[in-house]
C-alpha cells in the first residue's frame, strides 16, 4: 500500500505543478528523471499504467485511508 500511495502522491503533485503552470508534463518528467534518477517521470508512468488502473488505485486508497486527497 505504501508504494501505491507513493505513486499516486507523485502523480498528484505533478498534476498540481502542471495546473499551476510551473512546468509542462514533459518538463516535469525530464526534471524528475534527471534530478531524482527516476526511471519514469510521473506523466510517463501514468501513461504506461493507464487511467483505469490509476482511478482504481485512487479509489482503493480513499476507501483504505478515508483521506480526501484520494477522492476522485
Amino acid at each position: 500500500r505504501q508504494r501505491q500511495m507513493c505513486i499516486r502522491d507523485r502523480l498528484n503533485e505533478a498534476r498540481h505543478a502542471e495546473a499551476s503552470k510551473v512546468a509542462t508534463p514533459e518538463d516535469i518528467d525530464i526534471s524528475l528523471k534527471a534530478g531524482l534518477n527516476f526511471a519514469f517521470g510521473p506523466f510517463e508512468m501514468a501513461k504506461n499504467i493507464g487511467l483505469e488502473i490509476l482511478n482504481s488505485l485512487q479509489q482503493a486508497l480513499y476507501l483504505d485511508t478515508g483521506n480526501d486527497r484520494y477522492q476522485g
Side-chain angles (χ1 to χ4, degrees), residues 2 6 10 21 28 33-34 36-37 39 46 50 57 62 71-72:
Q2 283 299 107
C6 180
R10 189 182 311 161
K21 306 277 191 237
I28 292 167
K33 290 187 321 187
L36 299 175
N37 202 29
L57 173 61
Y62 175 70
Q71 190 171 19

Side-chain angles (χ1 to χ4, degrees), residues 26-39:
E26 295 81 14
D27 288 340
I28 292 167
D29 283 342
I30 290 168
S31 298
L32 290 176
K33 290 187 321 187
L36 299 175
N37 202 29
F38 288 165

Side-chain angles (χ1 to χ4, degrees), residues 4-72:
Q4 293 171 341
M5 290 173 75
C6 180
I7 291 169
R8 192 65 205 175
D9 286 345
R10 189 182 311 161
L11 184 57
N12 281 344
E13 291 299 320
R15 286 181 176 168
H16 178 70
E18 176 194 19
S20 299
K21 306 277 191 237
V22 171
T24 66
E26 295 81 14
D27 288 340
I28 292 167
D29 283 342
I30 290 168
S31 298
L32 290 176
K33 290 187 321 187
L36 299 175
N37 202 29
F38 288 165
F40 297 98
F43 292 102
E44 290 173 319
M45 186 180 301
K47 184 178 177 183
N48 289 334
I49 292 172
L51 288 178
E52 185 175 316
I53 292 172
L54 287 172
N55 288 335
S56 295
L57 173 61
Q58 183 172 348
Q59 180 66 21
L61 288 171
Y62 175 70
L63 292 174
D64 283 350
T65 64
N67 191 329
D68 288 340
R69 74 189 297 175
Y70 301 116
Q71 190 171 19

